[in-house]
C-alpha cells in the first residue's frame, strides 16, 4: 500500500476506540452540544467538537481550517446556543453581499423568516430578528452609532476573518473586533493561515478568553495532477518508494522533453517538440472537458484569471457542440432560470446576452465572474449546487467563500495579472483555489489539474502545492471617520490606547521585539570591534572618522570633472590638505598596528550604520498607528471638525458630528463639499453623477473623462470646485505626512447621470464601457453614498440625494434575489 493510500485508509478508519470514548465522556458534560450533535446527519470532526465545546463553556473561538473543512458547523452551533435563550441575539457577518445572501437563505430555511434578518446596506429585512446576517461594514456602523439593535447581542460570527488582510476593507474587521461589547463572544472563522496563533494571541489580548483551534486536515484528500497534452500525470510520486511531496519522476522527464516523450534511439530538442506538438497553443477545452468526463472527474471549475477568458471559454464549448446534460436536466435548468429572472425586462435581457447565457446553462456550462450580473451569478451558483452544471469557468473571486465545491479544479495558468504586471499566484492563492476540489460527503477525493505550459517547472509547482498556508497581516489604518467616532466615544487619550490595541500595532510591536534583539546582538559585536581597534596612543575612533571623511572626500574629488566645477574642486583640495595634516598629527597615525586597527574600525562603522537603521525602524514602528491618528486629528482640528474646550479636552464640532456618519475612502472630501455647499446647485441626476465620481475606482489610466464626455449644466462647475477642494486637502495631507489620495475618477459620471435620467441599459452600458455586473456594483456603492448624504446634508441637498437614490435604484440595479 502506498503512503497516500495508507493515509486515506487511516482517515477513513476514523478515530480510535479510545478517542471515541473520550469524546463521548466530554459530551456528557456539554448538554447543548450533545443536543446539537443529535440534529446532525454527520459526526463532528475533532476540531469542530473542540470549538463547539469552547463556545458552550463561555469562551470565544478562532477556527482556522482549510476550505470545505466544515468551519461553518461552529457558527451553526453558536446560532443553536443563541436560540436556547428567550431574547439572545446573534449577528452573522460576511465580507461580501453574495455570502450574506447565501447564509440568509440557509438560516431562513432552518429557523423560518420571522427569526432571521438581513442587512447589507442596500437590503434591510427584519432588522430586529434574533439572527441577523450582515456585511461587516454594517456592524461597524452600528457600533459607532451605538444602535439599539445591539441590545441582547451575545454572539458575533465573523466569517472569512482573514479578510482583515484586505488592503481596502480589512480595517473594518479590526474595528469591529476592538469595539464589540466585552461580553459578546466572537466566533472567528478563517482559512488556514500560518500565524493563527499570533492572531489568536491578539484576540486574547483584546477580547479575553479565546481558544485557537487549527486544523490542517482537508476533509476530502486532494490528488494533484499536471495535464500534458491528453495525458494526466500525477504531480507527486505515488510509488511509495519516495518521501512525501517528491515530484513524480515521469513529470520531470516530460518537462525535460518539453512536454513530449521522445522516441527511443533519437535525439530531440525540447523546443522542437513544443512546436511540433502544438505546446505553444492553448489546449482545446472541449477535449479536456471530454477527458475529465470520461474519467468521472466532473463537475469541474476551471480557474481563468480573466473575465473575457471565462466568457470566451463558454463560447468555445458551445461552438464545439459540448452538451453535458440530459433532456430532464435541461428542462429543470430552464424553469429555474425563468423563475429567477422573471422580474428583469425583456429588452434588458437582450442587452445582457440572456439567450446565449441560457444556451450555455442548458448545456451544463457557465462562466462566473464579477462582471456578470449578480442575478446571473446567483443562478450559476444555485445550478452548480444542484449538480445541474458540470463545468464553470471562473475568476479567483469564486474561491472566496461561496459554497461551490467541485470534484475537480483546473488551473490553466499559474500566474495572473495583478493590475500592474503578470505575477505568479502565491501558495495562499493556490490553497484557496484548489480548496474548491472535493465535495464533502460526495467525493472520496478531490482533484486539481494544472495545464502544461512551455517552461513549466515541476519542482516549482510542487513547492507551490505543498506549502499550504500563508500569513495573515493587518491592513489597519485610522481614517477621519474613525477618528471622530472614537473621540466622541472615548476622548483623545483613550482613543490612542484603543488604536494601539489594533492587530496592526500588535504585529508591529512583535516585529520590534525581533528588531530590538538584533540591536542588542549588534551592540555586543560593536563593543567587541571597539575593543579590537583600541589604540594605546590615542582615540582610534576619532582617527578612523578622519580617515573615513578623507576617503569620502577623495572619491568626490575624483568624480568632480565638469568645467564649471573648478572652484568647487579647489575648495575640496584645500579640505583634503587640511584633513591629511590633521591625520598626520593625530597620535594614532604613528601606531605600528594602525592598519589592523583600521580593519576593525571599518567593520565597526558598517555594523554601526546597520544598527542605526534598525533603531530608526524601531522608532517608526513603536506607536505607529497612534502617530497616524495624531496627524489625522491635527488636520481635523485645522479644519474645525475637532476643537479643544476650555478644559483642554478635544471634542467634536457640529461638522465633526456630521463626519461621524460619512463612511468611505473620501469621507473628509464629502464632508467638506457638503459643508462648503459645493453641490447645492445640482439636480438629482447631477448629484448621482458626482457621487459616482467620488466612489468610482478607475481601471488603469481610465479615470478622467474628457470635458465633452462630462454632464452639462451645473455639474461641470460643481466638479471643478470639488477637484480644487480635493487638491487642497491632498496638499494638507502630504504636509502632515499622510499618503494623500487619488484624483476623482469621472468616467462613470455621464453614464450615471443618464441612468438617473431614465436612460436605457443598452446605452448606459455602452457609454460606461462596463460589464453589467460592474455597473451594478458601482451603482450600489453610489446609492450607499447618496443614502449617507441624504441623512447628513441639510435641506435641499439631502432631499436631492434621496431623489437621486430613487432614480438610479431601478432595473437591474434594483433586482434582489432575497427581497
Amino acid at each position: 500500500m502506498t503512503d497516500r493510500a495508507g493515509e486515506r485508509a487511516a482517515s477513513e478508519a476514523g478515530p480510535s476506540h479510545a478517542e471515541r470514548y473520550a469524546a463521548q465522556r466530554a459530551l456528557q458534560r456539554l448538554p447543548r452540544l450533545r443536543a446539537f450533535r443529535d440534529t446532525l446527519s454527520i459526526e463532528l470532526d475533532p476540531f469542530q467538537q473542540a470549538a463547539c465545546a469552547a463556545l458552550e463553556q463561555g469562551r470565544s473561538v478562532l477556527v482556522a481550517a482549510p476550505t470545505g473543512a466544515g468551519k461553518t458547523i461552529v457558527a451553526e452551533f453558536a446560532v443553536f446556543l443563541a436560540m436556547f435563550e428567550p431574547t439572545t441575539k446573534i449577528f452573522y457577518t460576511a465580507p461580501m453581499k453574495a455570502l450574506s445572501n447565501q447564509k440568509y437563505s440557509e438560516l431562513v430555511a432552518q429557523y423560518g423568516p420571522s427569526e432571521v434578518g438581513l442587512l447589507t446596506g442596500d437590503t434591510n429585512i427584519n432588522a430586529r430578528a434574533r439572527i441577523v446576517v450582515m456585511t461587516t461594514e454594517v456592524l461597524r456602523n452600528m457600533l459607532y452609532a451605538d444602535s439599539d439593535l445591539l441590545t441582547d447581542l451575545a454572539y458575533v460570527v465573523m466569517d472569512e476573518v482573514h479578510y482583515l488582510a484586505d488592503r481596502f476593507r480589512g480595517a473594518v474587521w479590526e474595528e469591529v473586533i476592538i469595539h464589540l461589547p466585552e461580553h459578546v463572544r466572537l466566533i472567528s472563522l478563517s482559512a488556514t493561515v500560518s500565524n493563527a496563533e499570533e492572531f489568536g494571541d491578539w484576540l486574547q489580548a483584546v477580547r479575553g478568553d479565546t481558544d485557537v483551534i487549527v486544523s490542517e486536515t482537508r476533509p476530502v484528500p486532494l490528488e494533484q495532477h499536471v495535464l500534458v497534452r491528453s495525458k494526466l500525470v500525477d504531480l507527486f510520486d505515488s510509488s511509495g518508494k519516495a518521501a512525501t511531496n517528491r515530484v513524480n519522476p515521469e513529470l520531470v522527464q516530460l518537462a525535460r522533453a518539453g512536454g513530449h516523450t521522445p522516441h527511443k534511439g533519437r535525439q530531440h530538442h525540447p523546443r522542437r517538440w513544443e512546436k511540433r506538438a502544438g505546446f505553444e497553443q492553448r489546449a482545446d477545452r472541449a477535449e479536456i472537458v471530454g477527458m475529465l468526463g470520461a474519467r468521472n472527474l466532473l463537475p469541474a471549475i476551471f480557474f481563468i484569471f480573466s473575465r473575457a477568458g471565462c466568457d470566451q471559454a463558454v463560447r468555445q464549448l458551445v461552438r464545439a457542440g459540448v452538451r453535458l446534460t440530459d433532456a430532464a436536466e435541461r428542462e429543470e435548468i430552464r424553469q429555474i432560470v425563468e423563475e429567477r429572472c422573471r422580474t428583469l425586462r425583456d429588452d434588458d435581457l437582450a442587452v445582457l446576452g440572456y439567450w446565449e447565457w441560457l444556451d450555455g446553462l442548458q448545456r451544463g456550462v457557465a462562466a462566473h465572474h464579477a462582471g456578470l450580473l449578480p442575478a446571473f451569478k446567483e443562478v450559476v451558483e444555485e445550478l452548480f449546487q444542484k449538480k445541474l452544471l458540470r463545468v464553470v469557468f471562473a475568476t479567483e473571486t469564486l474561491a472566496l467563500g461561496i459554497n461551490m465545491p467541485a470534484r475537480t479544479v483546473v488551473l490553466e495558468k499559474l500566474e495572473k495579472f495583478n493590475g500592474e504586471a503578470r505575477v505568479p499566484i502565491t501558495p495562499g492563492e493556490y490553497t484557496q483555489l484548489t480548496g474548491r476540489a472535493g465535495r464533502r460527503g460526495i467525493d472520496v477525493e478531490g482533484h486539481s489539474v494544472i495545464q502544461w505550459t512551455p517552461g513549466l517547472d515541476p519542482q516549482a509547482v510542487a513547492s507551490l502545492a505543498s506549502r499550504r498556508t500563508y500569513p495573515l497581516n493587518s491592513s489597519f489604518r485610522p481614517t477621519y471617520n474613525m477618528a471622530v467616532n472614537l473621540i466622541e466615544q472615548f476622548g483623545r487619550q483613550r482613543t490612542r490606547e484603543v488604536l494601539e490595541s489594533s492587530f496592526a500595532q500588535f504585529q508591529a510591536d512583535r516585529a520590534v521585539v525581533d528588531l530590538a534583539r538584533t540591536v542588542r546582538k549588534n551592540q555586543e559585536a560593536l563593543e567587541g570591534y571597539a575593543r579590537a581597534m583600541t589604540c594605546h596612543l590615542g582615540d582610534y575612533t576619532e582617527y578612523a572618522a578622519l580617515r573615513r571623511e578623507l576617503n569620502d572626500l577623495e572619491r568626490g574629488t575624483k568624480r568632480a570633472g565638469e568645467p564649471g566645477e573648478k572652484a568647487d574642486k579647489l575648495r575640496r583640495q584645500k579640505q583634503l590638505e587640511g584633513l591629511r595634516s590633521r591625520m598626520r598629527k593625530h597620535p594614532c597615525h604613528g601606531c605600528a598596528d594602525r592598519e589592523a586597527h583600521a580593519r576593525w574600525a571599518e567593520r565597526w562603522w558598517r555594523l554601526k550604520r546597520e544598527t542605526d537603521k534598525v533603531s530608526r525602524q524601531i522608532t517608526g514602528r513603536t506607536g505607529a498607528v497612534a502617530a497616524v491618528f495624531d496627524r489625522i486629528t491635527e488636520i481635523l482640528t485645522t479644519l474645525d471638525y475637532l476643537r479643544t474646550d476650555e478644559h483642554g479636552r478635544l471634542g467634536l464640532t457640529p461638522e465633526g458630528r456630521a463626519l461621524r456618519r460619512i463612511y468611505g475612502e473620501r469621507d473628509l472630501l464629502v464632508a467638506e463639499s457638503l459643508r462648503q455647499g459645493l453641490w447645492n446647485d445640482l439636480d438629482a441626476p447631477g448629484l448621482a453623477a458626482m457621487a459616482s465620481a467620488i466612489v468610482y475606482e478607475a481601471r488603469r489610466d481610465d479615470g478622467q473623462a474628457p470635458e465633452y464626455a462630462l454632464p452639462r449644466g451645473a455639474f461641470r462647475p460643481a466638479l471643478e470646485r470639488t477637484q480644487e477642494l480635493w487638491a487642497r486637502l491632498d496638499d494638507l495631507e502630504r504636509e502632515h505626512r499622510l499618503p494623500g489620495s487619488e484624483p476623482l475618477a469621472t468616467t462613470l459620471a455621464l453614464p450615471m447621470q443618464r441612468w438617473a435620467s431614465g436612460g436605457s441599459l443598452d446605452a448606459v452600458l455602452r457609454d460606461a464601457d462596463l460589464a453589467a455586473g460592474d455597473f451594478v456594483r458601482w451603482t450600489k456603492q453610489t446609492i450607499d453614498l447618496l443614502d449617507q448624504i441624504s441623512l447628513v446634508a441639510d435641506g435641499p441637498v439631502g432631499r436631492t440625494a434621496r431623489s437621486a437614490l430613487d432614480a438610479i435604484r431601478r432595473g437591474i440595479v434594483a433586482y434582489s434575489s432575497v427581497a
Side-chain angles (χ1 to χ4, degrees):
M1 183 183 285
T2 66
D3 291 346
R4 194 166 298 174
E7 287 171 16
R8 191 173 306 134
S11 68
E12 287 169 3
S16 67
H17 290 300
E19 287 170 331
R20 281 200 291 271
Y21 177 72
Q24 287 298 327
R25 288 291 301 272
L27 278 173
Q28 296 306 314
R29 298 189 295 273
L30 300 165
R32 292 185 182 176
L33 177 53
R34 195 166 67 246
F36 174 69
R37 192 200 61 174
D38 291 343
T39 68
L40 303 174
S41 59
I42 58 167
E43 281 296 315
L44 291 175
D45 288 342
F47 87 89
Q48 294 168 329
Q49 184 154 319
C52 292
L55 277 177
E56 184 165 351
Q57 291 161 353
R59 296 191 296 279
S60 295
V61 292
L62 164 64
V63 182
T67 302
K71 296 184 288 291
T72 51
I73 285 278
V74 183
E76 288 164 17
F77 179 61
V79 175
F80 185 84
L81 282 177
M83 299 308 281
F84 253 95
E85 306 296 334
T87 58
T88 294
K89 284 185 184 176
I90 178 167
F91 288 171
Y92 194 113
T93 73
M96 296 182 292
K97 291 176 183 178
L99 280 175
S100 298
N101 292 345
Q102 193 176 73
K103 184 51 64 176
Y104 169 77
S105 300
E106 290 171 9
L107 288 167
V108 164
Q110 189 170 359
Y111 290 98
S114 63
E115 296 288 6
V116 187
L118 177 67
L119 298 173
T120 61
D122 58 349
T123 304
N124 185 329
I125 301 171
N126 200 14
R128 297 193 173 275
R130 292 180 55 203
I131 309 165
V132 186
V133 182
M134 62 186 68
T135 53
T136 319
E137 281 86 352
V138 169
L139 179 53
R140 186 271 310 271
N141 299 352
M142 267 190 207
L143 289 165
Y144 281 161
D146 197 21
S147 168
D148 65 341
L149 295 175
L150 297 166
T151 306
D152 295 324
L153 180 64
Y155 302 91
V156 167
V157 176
M158 301 200 79
D159 202 355
E160 309 282 336
V161 75
H162 50 274
Y163 247 82
L164 69 74
D166 184 78
R167 188 163 59 97
F168 299 106
R169 299 172 56 216
V172 177
W173 273 254
E174 289 190 49
E175 290 177 74
V176 167
I177 291 167
I178 291 169
H179 299 309
L180 272 174
E182 197 174 327
H183 67 273
V184 174
R185 271 169 277 176
L186 198 62
I187 299 93
S188 304
L189 307 179
S190 170
T192 310
V193 292
S194 50
N195 59 335
E197 285 74 16
E198 178 188 41
F199 185 50
D201 288 346
W202 175 67
L203 287 172
Q204 176 78 29
V206 295
R207 302 292 318 158
D209 286 343
T210 302
D211 284 11
V212 178
I213 292 142
V214 178
S215 173
E216 301 283 358
T217 307
R218 275 184 57 102
V220 181
L222 181 67
E223 296 287 342
Q224 305 189 71
H225 318 278
V226 176
L227 180 62
V228 186
R229 285 182 66 75
S230 59
K231 184 172 184 179
L232 210 55
V233 183
D234 286 349
L235 173 59
F236 295 111
D237 185 356
S238 57
S239 65
K241 299 174 185 175
T244 310
N245 291 345
R246 178 196 168 194
V247 179
N248 185 351
E250 182 187 358
L251 185 60
V252 175
Q253 198 173 6
L254 283 167
R256 287 182 185 144
H260 195 95
T261 308
H263 294 293
K264 290 180 182 179
R266 296 185 197 167
Q267 285 191 333
H268 293 280
H269 297 280
R271 283 286 164 200
R272 285 184 202 156
W273 276 111
E274 286 174 13
K275 287 178 182 174
R276 273 167 64 183
F279 277 81
E280 293 177 349
Q281 299 172 5
R282 184 177 294 280
D284 184 82
R285 293 191 177 103
E287 285 181 22
I288 295 170
V289 168
M291 182 270 295
L292 293 176
R295 291 170 178 261
N296 197 27
L297 293 178
L298 296 179
I301 297 171
F302 284 66
F303 282 108
I304 302 174
F305 303 115
S306 149
R307 299 176 184 184
C310 292
D311 294 334
Q312 181 189 13
V314 173
R315 286 194 294 272
Q316 189 179 349
L317 262 59
V318 170
R319 280 198 304 269
V322 170
R323 193 179 293 281
L324 305 170
T325 53
D326 60 30
E329 289 170 330
R330 288 195 289 278
E331 177 60 23
E332 187 178 354
I333 288 167
R334 190 184 59 76
Q335 288 178 1
I336 290 171
V337 173
E338 288 179 355
E339 171 62 25
R340 297 293 178 269
C341 298
R342 71 183 190 283
T343 59
L344 297 172
R345 292 169 35 171
D346 287 348
D347 52 348
D348 286 351
L349 290 177
V351 173
L352 296 166
Y354 171 83
W355 303 109
E356 295 86 349
W357 174 66
L358 177 58
D359 183 28
L361 294 179
Q362 289 183 301
R363 291 170 181 272
V365 180
H368 187 289
H369 55 72
L372 211 58
L373 186 70
F376 286 12
K377 271 202 299 186
E378 290 163 15
V379 168
V380 171
E381 290 158 15
E382 181 180 352
L383 294 177
F384 198 81
Q385 287 160 17
K386 289 179 182 290
K387 307 181 186 64
L388 293 169
L389 289 181
R390 305 290 190 270
V391 172
V392 169
F393 296 98
T395 56
E396 69 267 35
T397 52
L398 187 146
L400 299 172
I402 302 283
N403 181 24
M404 278 182 67
R407 177 163 293 165
T408 303
V409 161
V410 180
L411 301 180
E412 292 200 349
K413 289 185 179 177
L414 293 178
E415 61 176 23
K416 65 174 187 174
F417 189 73
N418 67 356
E420 296 175 1
R422 297 207 71 81
V423 296
I425 63 171
T426 65
E429 287 167 335
Y430 183 89
T431 301
Q432 283 274 36
L433 297 169
T434 56
R436 292 279 146 221
R439 298 163 299 174
R440 190 170 189 175
I442 301 173
D443 298 322
V444 176
E445 60 196 16
H447 296 264
S448 72
V449 176
I450 297 159
Q451 279 190 247
W452 173 273
T453 53
L456 188 76
D457 178 4
Q459 205 65 54
V461 176
S463 173
L464 184 74
S466 56
R467 288 174 57 202
R468 313 254 15 113
T469 58
Y470 56 100
L472 180 61
N473 293 314
S474 172
S475 62
F476 183 85
R477 59 181 177 83
T479 65
Y480 298 106
N481 170 273
M482 189 192 301
V484 292
N485 271 293
L486 292 178
I487 288 170
E488 178 78 348
Q489 282 187 290
F490 303 118
R492 181 173 185 168
Q493 188 52 43
R494 171 79 180 111
T495 293
R496 290 182 99 259
E497 292 168 10
V498 166
L499 293 174
E500 285 177 337
S501 68
S502 67
F503 187 45
Q505 192 58 56
F506 185 83
Q507 286 191 308
D509 289 343
R510 287 206 163 187
V512 163
V513 171
D514 290 334
L515 292 172
R517 191 180 296 119
T518 300
V519 168
R520 283 197 301 274
K521 185 178 165 188
N522 287 0
Q523 292 289 3
E524 290 172 10
L526 285 169
E527 288 168 12
Y529 294 167
R531 284 193 296 273
M533 69 178 180
T534 300
C535 180
H536 66 288
L537 296 177
D539 184 351
Y540 199 88
T541 305
E542 186 180 81
Y543 179 71
L546 286 171
R547 281 179 66 128
R548 175 155 292 284
E549 189 179 353
L550 179 64
N551 187 45
D552 290 345
L553 196 59
E554 282 175 338
R555 279 196 304 224
T557 303
K558 283 174 188 170
R559 284 196 299 269
E562 296 297 318
E565 294 182 350
K566 189 174 180 182
D568 194 37
K569 194 171 182 180
L570 288 171
R571 183 178 57 78
R572 284 202 186 97
Q573 288 292 356
K574 203 168 181 181
Q575 283 180 287
L576 284 169
E577 288 167 15
L579 280 169
R580 287 177 185 134
S581 173
R582 287 169 62 194
M583 269 183 57
R584 284 193 293 270
K585 290 176 182 176
H586 196 284
C588 294
H589 191 67
C591 179
D593 296 323
R594 183 182 69 197
E595 292 310 310
H597 294 330
R599 285 192 291 274
W600 285 109
E602 183 62 25
R603 291 177 193 171
W604 182 91
W605 185 85
R606 278 202 303 269
L607 188 59
K608 178 73 165 61
R609 186 173 58 183
E610 289 173 20
T611 306
D612 289 345
K613 184 180 176 182
V614 175
S615 296
R616 285 194 297 274
Q617 284 180 285
I618 291 172
T619 305
R621 292 189 181 205
T622 306
V625 177
V628 172
F629 165 73
D630 288 341
R631 292 169 203 154
I632 284 173
T633 56
E634 285 169 18
I635 288 175
L636 291 172
T637 304
T638 301
L639 296 173
D640 202 37
Y641 285 85
L642 297 173
R643 200 180 292 162
T644 306
D645 64 17
E646 64 273 14
H647 304 294
R649 289 192 296 264
L650 196 65
L652 274 60
T653 62
E655 289 78 12
R657 280 187 278 280
L659 179 57
R660 282 191 72 189
R661 294 185 290 169
I662 300 171
Y663 303 94
E665 288 288 308
R666 301 187 188 274
D667 46 9
L668 185 59
L669 178 63
V670 173
E672 273 293 279
S673 297
L674 293 174
R675 177 191 191 179
Q676 296 181 27
L678 303 188
W679 304 338
N680 288 1
D681 298 333
L682 293 173
D683 59 8
L687 189 56
M690 184 64 71
S692 76
I694 296 288
V695 301
Y696 183 56
E697 292 167 17
R699 292 167 292 187
R700 300 177 305 283
D701 305 320
D702 186 31
Q704 299 305 313
E707 188 168 348
Y708 67 80
L710 292 172
R712 297 183 182 278
F715 178 83
R716 293 185 185 184
L719 176 65
E720 191 175 332
R721 292 193 298 270
T722 307
Q723 288 172 324
E724 288 169 359
L725 172 61
W726 167 81
R728 291 197 299 275
L729 292 177
D730 193 62
D731 289 344
L732 186 62
E733 286 174 329
R734 294 180 194 281
E735 284 169 20
H736 284 81
R737 289 176 295 146
L738 290 170
S741 60
E742 293 295 314
L744 272 65
T746 56
T747 47
L748 192 56
L750 185 59
M752 190 61 70
Q753 188 230 27
R754 288 177 174 167
W755 181 249
S757 302
S760 72
L761 178 64
D762 186 19
V764 168
L765 290 182
R766 197 168 54 246
D767 289 345
D769 190 25
L770 285 177
D774 291 324
F775 178 70
V776 169
R777 186 171 76 255
W778 290 119
T779 305
K780 288 194 172 184
Q781 291 196 31
T782 302
I783 287 170
D784 192 36
L785 176 57
L786 289 169
D787 187 42
Q788 294 172 36
I789 293 171
S790 74
L791 298 172
V792 170
D794 294 325
V797 176
R799 290 192 293 274
T800 304
R802 180 55 57 187
S803 299
L805 187 157
D806 293 337
I808 63 176
R809 189 192 274 152
R810 65 181 180 87
I812 63 171
V813 176
Y815 173 88
S816 172
S817 62
V818 294

